[in-house]
Amino acid sequence: QMFRRPGPLLVNHGRPCRALSADELGGASNVEQIAPPKSCREWLRGCLDAAAPWALAALLGLLTASTALFIAINSDFLSDLRFGTCHGLALSDRNRCCGGADNIDHTTERCRRPALPVEDGFKVVEWIPWEDVLSVPFLVYLGVSIALSASSAIL
């Protein structure tokens, strides 16, 4: 052992050092040997362990997209709630209720009538401004705003 050749020299922070051999480490190595699966159950367990992070990432993406859709629809609905409500189509803003921005008459605050006649069996959807329902529309908007603010503060 006196004439054993030393391992290769490495540099550690400017100081020369020697790499330890496997004999000096007691036969340990950095490579872990993984045994092949013994049964289908072990193989399936390994596949599930490998797929779990990807499944969680996909689930997180779906939850993020559904939250964004919920926010987009409800923000449009709540911003148009101060002007009126849609009769015949629940939780829809003025743009959806009238069938697009081109079908809104801003002078009367109502939907423009379609050029084609409506056949029997179809549900009539109409935007109704608060002035037609109540005499004081601003108080309704103020009451709804206070109720929503209180519910968000409680939650």
Side-chain angles (χ1 to χ4, degrees):
Q1 285 203 1
M2 211 162 129
F3 298 104
R4 189 168 51 137
R5 203 170 98 202
L9 285 178
L10 302 174
V11 178
N12 183 16
H13 301 289
R15 293 174 278 161
C17 62
R18 184 174 61 79
L20 298 175
S21 68
D23 293 336
E24 293 170 319
L25 290 173
S29 67
N30 292 340
V31 179
E32 184 181 326
Q33 296 293 326
I34 299 175
K38 295 177 183 168
S39 66
C40 289
R41 180 181 244 174
E42 285 184 14
W43 177 81
L44 184 62
R45 175 76 177 177
C47 288
L48 289 176
D49 285 344
W54 291 102
L56 289 176
L59 179 65
L60 183 63
L62 286 173
L63 289 175
T64 303
S66 62
T67 302
L69 179 67
F70 179 78
I71 289 171
I73 290 174
N74 285 321
S75 66
D76 291 341
F77 166 70
L78 291 174
S79 66
D80 280 343
L81 188 62
R82 61 186 164 172
F83 299 116
T85 184
C86 185
H87 178 70
L89 195 59
L91 297 176
S92 65
D93 58 86
R94 185 169 29 178
N95 199 13
R96 282 189 193 92
C97 185
C98 294
D102 296 336
N103 297 329
I104 299 173
D105 186 7
H106 292 286
T107 57
T108 62
E109 295 293 328
R110 292 188 171 275
C111 299
R112 291 190 178 120
R113 294 284 171 215
L116 299 172
V118 178
E119 296 179 16
D120 291 338
F122 284 102
K123 189 187 222 180
V124 177
V125 177
E126 181 181 15
W127 181 261
I128 301 174
W130 289 120
E131 288 85 17
D132 293 353
V133 178
L134 301 165
S135 59
V136 187
F138 180 73
L139 291 179
V140 171
Y141 174 67
L142 185 67
V144 168
S145 299
I146 290 172
L148 290 175
S149 300
S151 67
S152 67
I154 291 170
L155 294 176

